[in-house]
């Protein structure tokens, strides 16, 4: 077949690839994973598909870029009544490909959502423009609003007394006739107050969010996108939404992007009690955690989501619609602290398990939570430019990290929280090594601090803890600790700053000592863990 000239089908493949993305184009043209798109020789059926794509929405693929290109992609989800399929699946069939069908589950809501997903899911193979949050644009493909399965899902929702606790306020516009299909849910809009991304939520967005959320949850695991892979996540999302409607807490999937730690290429994930560590993928960067962020490792975990209040979504001069958000602010912040604390225990375990010369200093730089009360989930990221050296965690050391996390989780006490946070801050977060040095010594004080004779009591306690079997070793360490403590005191009281090389050494040594103290607590002296800092130091010095 002649493929010469700018308008020839083969010459259009690169621009289609820019607009649709490689994976979506493979799906539409029915091209196997291992086949290169470069210099592709099209079959007669694929030529017809390419020509149809060129004229889709009246725009030349790849010509506009950004949001406009993505709107073209989203329009491929449009449902065609005569064909009983979406445009993207019609095009796939034109290329000679088969379309996966949804299997019945027995739950009418799940079945309607799975049928909707069967026509919508291929659009999620596209990679939207970085101009907008990708997961937001994934949340409501255009085809959803014309699909009969979406109308059925809304109908099931409206008849479920438990789910409708999220939308107890009838539409404000009274109508003598029932609104048909999907329009029946258009007027239901609530203000959801929870520890996800609180805000307005409409019934139609919930239906869309359940489908897109299932796609996101599958992609978050690093698995390839498929309808069969999405269905289990649809089932779990519906079950979680019902729990949220009853006011119960659910653990929703979350991803944390970590800098300062790498896993070997091709290495399996490190399995932890509440998640797993794995290498970051392009999907993590493009969809969830931000393409410009320099993280190498991802922690797959969960976030404790809960709905505290549901109120009518209206704005007027008589009522403050955000009063409930302020009312529950303390509980919302407590949920985030709980999540941060569990993450800190993982980061601390990595540090304590690591070799001194190449520490695994995991630092959070981005987070995505697949929260059911927020369209497209919620994302956050750090703007800090802190440069932490990244050291590789060998597979042979996985068991060491697992053992440390088990030990830390079992024995950790709130009395060590400040020390843990200061140590992690010193080791991973401070861009200025002087701040890191100060933080590390504050960690010492939180472990053994007293009201009087602080310098002597803190340094003597640490020396005796770490050199309990050697008098000479204890004396030598005590001298070093006093010198470090003195340098820190002079710095915080306006003394001259050491050279960059010296302060980096001081910080590194102070961090090593703080980590050594915590190792000793967890491994040998867990009797000291629940004590207050002053009592802890007194017990060691009086032994």
């Amino acid at each position: 077949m002649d493929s010469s000239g700018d308008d020839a089908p083969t010459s259009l493949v690169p621009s289609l690839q820019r607009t649709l993305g490689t994976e979506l184009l493979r799906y539409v043209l029915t091209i196997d994973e291992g086949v290169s798109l470069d210099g592709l020789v099209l079959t007669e059926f694929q030529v017809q598909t390419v020509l149809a794509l060129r004229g889709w929405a009246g725009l030349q693929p790849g010509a506009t870029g950004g949001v406009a290109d993505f709107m073209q992609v989203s329009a491929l989800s449009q449902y065609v009544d005569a064909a009983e399929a979406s445009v993207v699946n019609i095009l796939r069939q034109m290329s000679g490909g088969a379309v996966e069908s949804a299997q019945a589950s027995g739950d009418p809501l799940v079945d309607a959502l799975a049928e909707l997903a069967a026509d919508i899911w291929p659009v999620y193979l596209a990679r939207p423009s970085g101009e907008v949050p990708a997961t937001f644009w994934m949340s409501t493909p255009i085809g959803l609003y014309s699909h009969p399965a979406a109308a059925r899902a809304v109908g099931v929702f409206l008849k479920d007394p438990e789910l409708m606790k999220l939308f107890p306020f009838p539409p404000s516009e009274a109508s003598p006739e029932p609104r048909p299909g999907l329009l029946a849910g258009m007027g239901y809009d609530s203000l959801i107050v929870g520890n996800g991304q609180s805000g307005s939520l409409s019934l139609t967005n919930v239906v869309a969010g359940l489908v897109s959320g299932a796609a996101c949850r599958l992609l978050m695991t690093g698995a390839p996108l498929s309808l069969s892979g999405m269905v289990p996540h649809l089932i779990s999302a519906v079950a979680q939404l019902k729990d949220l409607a009853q006011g119960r807490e659910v653990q929703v999937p979350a991803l944390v992007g970590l800098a300062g730690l790498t896993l070997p290429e091709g290495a399996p994930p490190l399995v932890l009690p509440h998640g797993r560590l794995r290498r970051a993928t392009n999907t993590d960067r493009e969809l969830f955690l931000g393409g410009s962020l320099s993280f190498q490792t991802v922690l797959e975990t969960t976030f404790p989501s809960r709905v505290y209040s549901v109120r009518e979504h209206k704005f007027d001069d008589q009522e403050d619609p955000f009063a409930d958000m302020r009312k529950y602010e303390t509980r919302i912040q407590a949920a985030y602290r709980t999540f941060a604390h569990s993450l800190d225990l993982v980061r601390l375990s990595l540090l304590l398990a690591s070799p001194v010369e190449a520490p695994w200093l995991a630092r959070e730089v981005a987070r995505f939570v697949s929260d059911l009360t927020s369209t497209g989930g919620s994302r956050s990221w750090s703007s800090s430019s802190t440069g932490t050296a990244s050291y590789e965690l060998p597979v042979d050391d996985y068991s060491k990290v697992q053992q440390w996390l088990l030990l830390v989780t079992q024995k950790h006490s709130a009395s060590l929280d400040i020390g843990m946070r200061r140590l992690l801050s010193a080791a991973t977060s401070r861009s200025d090594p002087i701040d890191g040095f100060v933080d590390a010594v504050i960690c010492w004080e939180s472990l053994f601090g007293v009201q009087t004779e602080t310098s002597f009591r803190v340094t003597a306690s640490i020396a005796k803890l770490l050199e309990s079997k050697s008098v000479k070793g204890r004396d030598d360490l005590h001298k070093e600790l006093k010198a470090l403590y003195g340098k820190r005191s002079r710095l915080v009281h306006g003394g001259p700053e050491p050279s960059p090389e010296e302060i980096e050494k001081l910080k590194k040594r102070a961090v090593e000592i703080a980590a050594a103290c915590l190792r000793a607590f967890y491994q040998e002296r867990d009797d000291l863990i629940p004590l207050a800092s002053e009592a802890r130091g007194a017990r060691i010095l009086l032994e």
Side-chain angles (χ1 to χ4, degrees), residues 119-134:
D119 276 321
I120 298 294
W121 81 266
V123 173
Y124 299 143
L125 291 167
R127 291 295 176 263
S129 164
E131 297 176 21
V132 291

